[in-house]
Amino acid sequence: MSTDHQKIENVIQVYFACMYESSSDKAHAAFHPDAWISGYLPNGYQHMTVSEFGDFVAAQQPSPKSKGEPARLEVISLEVAGQTAVARVRDGYLGLVFLDTLSFIKLEGQWLILNKLFHVET
């Protein structure tokens, strides 16, 4: 596995931890400040900034981790093209299973999520 793949998978772990631990700080660590989080929840279309997403995950108290919920994260695919990458991940959050498409950008040697598109599978 290339170093870039490892670094991106580490960012994916931070991304998942932000939700699992209800951590706004980890959301800001994983995402580029200008990123958008968009997709459909059962109540309709959602479109959030990183700050809005960070506030949302932080508001989920107690966190899924502290409630002892099982962690579910599966990296389905990861493709790197120069300073960009895309990953498909499946994760469990708030009783739902999501299929996320995460786009990444490498800036000054650091990989960050530039955009997240999500789809609720169940």
Side-chain angles (χ1 to χ4, degrees):
M1 182 182 297
S2 77
T3 301
D4 283 328
H5 276 80
Q6 291 169 338
K7 288 180 180 180
I8 293 166
E9 287 197 7
N10 290 341
V11 175
I12 292 170
Q13 290 296 324
V14 173
Y15 155 69
F16 179 71
C18 87
M19 296 181 298
Y20 192 59
E21 298 171 12
S22 297
S23 172
S24 178
D25 290 342
K26 288 186 178 180
H28 287 279
F31 285 89
H32 184 280
D34 296 331
W36 287 102
I37 295 87
S38 306
Y40 286 91
L41 290 173
N43 64 343
Y45 175 70
Q46 304 292 314
H47 187 67
M48 296 174 267
T49 65
V50 176
S51 292
E52 291 167 335
F53 181 69
D55 291 346
F56 174 80
V57 298
Q60 306 309 310
Q61 297 296 331
S63 71
K65 181 179 181 179
S66 65
K67 289 192 285 187
E69 293 180 9
R72 178 177 183 175
L73 174 66
E74 173 189 2
V75 178
I76 298 167
S77 64
L78 173 57
E79 295 179 33
V80 178
Q83 307 298 306
T84 65
V86 65
R88 301 285 310 261
V89 301
R90 181 172 285 117
D91 53 84
Y93 186 56
L94 302 178
L96 302 170
V97 176
F98 289 85
L99 180 62
D100 298 334
T101 303
L102 306 173
S103 63
F104 292 82
I105 189 106
K106 187 177 185 181
L107 298 171
E108 299 176 8
Q110 181 182 7
W111 286 99
L112 294 168
I113 301 169
L114 188 58
N115 285 299
K116 168 187 168 178
L117 292 174
F118 62 87
H119 165 72
V120 176
E121 289 189 321
T122 62

